[in-house]
Amino acid sequence: MDRLDAAVATAILGLDTLWGGNVMDPSGTGRFIADSWFSDAPLPEAYTLPAAAAVRAEGGLSAAEPDREAIDAYLAAVDLPGAIEEVRAHASALPALRAAYLLNLADSCGLMWELALERLGKGEPVPFARAVLASCGEPPTPSHPRPKRERLATLLGAAPDDLVEAADAWRRDRLVSRESIRTLAGAFIAELDALCRKNLLPHLPARLHEVPRANIEFLPIEDAWFSGSMNYLGRARDEAGHPLYEATYEINASLEISVPEFAQLVSHEVVPGHVTTFALLQHLYHLGEIGFEATVQTMNT
């Protein structure tokens, strides 16, 4: 890795470690902000140091009672603010689009660092509006759910006051059973991938046409604290060293989801959604056409 790559790796994985995440954990239960590491680049000291392992083992700043001694030792060894500023400094000399991405990445990481200082009692409280702005690029705006609730009530034939009960009844009539998750996922993936081949591929360069867009396994898990987690792994290679573009989707075994909702889930998370996007990114990186920063995506951006 060059200096920019090393700075990106240190900033993202350093923050991920500080908050208790582990980008190499194949499960979404073990990740925090770093969502992927599908390059073959060596992991930085921000991840490999014994002090990093000690922080991860105790849950970092996400723990109910953070291990301050372990965190202080880690921050004494890893210069996170320096890495963030180095990303910013390198970005200014790059082409406009890549520069904009890296500058916004630095802003987001800087905000995460300020939140860490607040959690440690070493910094001022971070306003919610700043957190939204760093993550989304726009300030928070009020929610106006009434028109959507009224539209939903009309579709369900229910009075607005009975909306939750009517939605629950609609879902019960269309529930996906746990036993059918893999079969149904496979059917929807085949249908959506065929639509992508027809309607998306003509707009993509030929070198991207044969990239696997949905190499994913659905894994029901017990007692998950989330409804579902798409985990792009991307670390498997064939005998020639080419990526296999693999991912998993962990779905809460207790989740109640209807067939139409499941179809939307597959389109959003798999094809033409996140799995497809990550596979195309990995292929472009494999071809040497995009930078290292594309391989270590952050969830809060």
Side-chain angles (χ1 to χ4, degrees), residues 87-88 90-105:
V87 172
R88 199 186 309 277
H90 280 284
S92 60
L94 296 172
L97 186 61
R98 190 179 181 199
Y101 176 84
L102 288 168
L103 288 171
N104 282 294
L105 177 66

Side-chain angles (χ1 to χ4, degrees), residues 133-192:
L133 185 63
S135 179
C136 302
E138 296 181 356
T141 56
S143 173
H144 300 290
R146 181 180 294 276
K148 294 179 182 179
R149 290 175 61 87
E150 291 174 349
R151 172 65 172 154
L152 183 57
T154 299
L155 291 171
L156 292 172
D161 292 341
D162 300 328
L163 189 55
V164 173
E165 182 179 344
D168 286 344
W170 182 91
R171 181 177 287 112
R172 281 194 299 271
D173 290 341
R174 299 162 176 82
L175 279 182
V176 175
S177 69
R178 176 175 177 172
E179 293 75 19
S180 66
I181 284 176
R182 285 191 176 90
T183 300
L184 192 60
F188 280 133
I189 286 171
E191 177 184 358
L192 290 163

Side-chain angles (χ1 to χ4, degrees), residues 8-181:
V8 168
T10 297
I12 295 176
L13 293 196
L15 285 165
D16 190 54
T17 296
L18 182 59
W19 285 92
N22 181 359
V23 72
M24 300 306 284
D25 192 321
S27 170
T29 61
R31 302 182 185 192
F32 189 76
I33 68 161
D35 206 21
S36 64
W37 185 273
F38 55 70
S39 74
D40 290 322
L43 289 154
E45 287 190 340
Y47 180 92
T48 60
L49 286 172
V55 172
R56 284 193 296 269
E58 298 300 324
L61 291 174
S62 298
E65 294 292 336
D67 185 335
R68 291 178 176 270
E69 184 176 345
I71 289 170
D72 287 344
Y74 180 68
L75 294 178
V78 178
D79 182 8
L80 292 185
I84 295 168
E85 288 309 308
E86 189 165 1
V87 172
R88 199 186 309 277
H90 280 284
S92 60
L94 296 172
L97 186 61
R98 190 179 181 199
Y101 176 84
L102 288 168
L103 288 171
N104 282 294
L105 177 66
D107 286 345
S108 187
C109 287
L111 193 282
M112 292 295 298
W113 171 246
E114 291 183 45
L115 287 167
L117 293 178
E118 177 187 342
R119 179 83 167 103
L120 289 167
K122 297 180 179 180
E124 296 297 319
V126 177
F128 173 73
R130 278 199 60 218
V132 174
L133 185 63
S135 179
C136 302
E138 296 181 356
T141 56
S143 173
H144 300 290
R146 181 180 294 276
K148 294 179 182 179
R149 290 175 61 87
E150 291 174 349
R151 172 65 172 154
L152 183 57
T154 299
L155 291 171
L156 292 172
D161 292 341
D162 300 328
L163 189 55
V164 173
E165 182 179 344
D168 286 344
W170 182 91
R171 181 177 287 112
R172 281 194 299 271
D173 290 341
R174 299 162 176 82
L175 279 182
V176 175
S177 69
R178 176 175 177 172
E179 293 75 19
S180 66
I181 284 176

Side-chain angles (χ1 to χ4, degrees), residues 248-271:
T248 63
Y249 190 83
E250 296 174 311
I251 190 165
N252 191 320
S254 301
L255 181 68
E256 292 187 356
I257 187 169
S258 67
V259 173
E261 289 171 314
F262 193 73
Q264 192 278 330
L265 172 75
V266 173
S267 68
H268 174 90
E269 297 286 358
V270 186
V271 57

